[in-house]
Amino acid sequence: MAEHPHAALVRKGYEAFFRGDMDTLRGMIAGDATHHVPGDHPLSGDFKGVDSIIEMYERLGAETNGTMRADLIGIAVDGRGHAVGMTRFTAERNGKRLDDTGCIVFRIVGDKVTDLDECVEDIEKSNEFWS
């Protein structure tokens, strides 16, 4: 059985993210998309527009000196334009280590991601790591 197109799109996005392939990600994200990052730290908030989203992704890599990993655990779809990518997120930064699980709820219209709503298992741990 073939993978659902929305699951395939999310998987392609995670693979591009792992490779640091921002051009592929740029082509997958709608120009007016928003990525919502939870928490109360310098990298939280709403990143509006594909340029802002890509800049935030690049900053994640820079802040963690390339140690950040979001290992895909699984993808769930609803067949109505939503997909959830579940991950184990690890990174090192300023002598601290983060190991947490989370997900991103993707809103997909056509073949573009229009909204990314991120959730983390331990928001306090995330806030402490990124602050």
Side-chain angles (χ1 to χ4, degrees):
M1 186 170 176
E3 185 173 47
H4 189 279
H6 294 161
L9 182 68
V10 168
R11 185 175 311 285
K12 178 181 174 183
Y14 275 100
E15 290 169 355
F17 184 82
F18 295 147
R19 291 189 314 269
D21 183 353
M22 297 301 135
D23 289 336
T24 294
L25 288 173
R26 188 176 296 283
M28 298 173 62
I29 300 171
D32 61 350
T34 302
H35 188 138
H36 311 274
V37 179
D40 183 22
H41 55 79
L43 286 170
S44 64
D46 296 331
F47 296 85
K48 297 178 183 180
V50 68
D51 291 336
S52 179
I53 293 169
I54 296 298
E55 287 171 13
M56 183 263 294
Y57 294 164
E58 290 171 340
R59 186 167 172 205
L60 291 172
E63 290 280 332
T64 62
N65 292 319
T67 64
M68 181 189 62
R69 299 243 345 139
D71 294 317
L72 193 58
I73 297 169
I75 302 169
V77 299
D78 69 357
R80 298 177 299 112
H82 298 96
V84 179
M86 297 156 281
T87 62
R88 177 177 178 212
F89 184 91
T90 58
E92 294 179 13
R93 179 177 179 267
N94 297 332
K96 298 181 273 189
R97 179 159 171 73
L98 181 64
D99 187 345
D100 201 9
T101 55
C103 68
I104 298 177
V105 180
F106 297 86
R107 174 71 174 135
I108 301 165
V109 176
D111 63 350
K112 298 278 187 183
V113 174
T114 62
D115 194 70
L116 303 93
D117 203 351
E118 192 172 327
C119 300
V120 296
E121 182 177 13
D122 188 333
I123 197 142
E124 293 307 320
K125 183 174 20 174
S126 180
N127 283 336
E128 192 278 326
F129 177 80
W130 292 110
S131 293

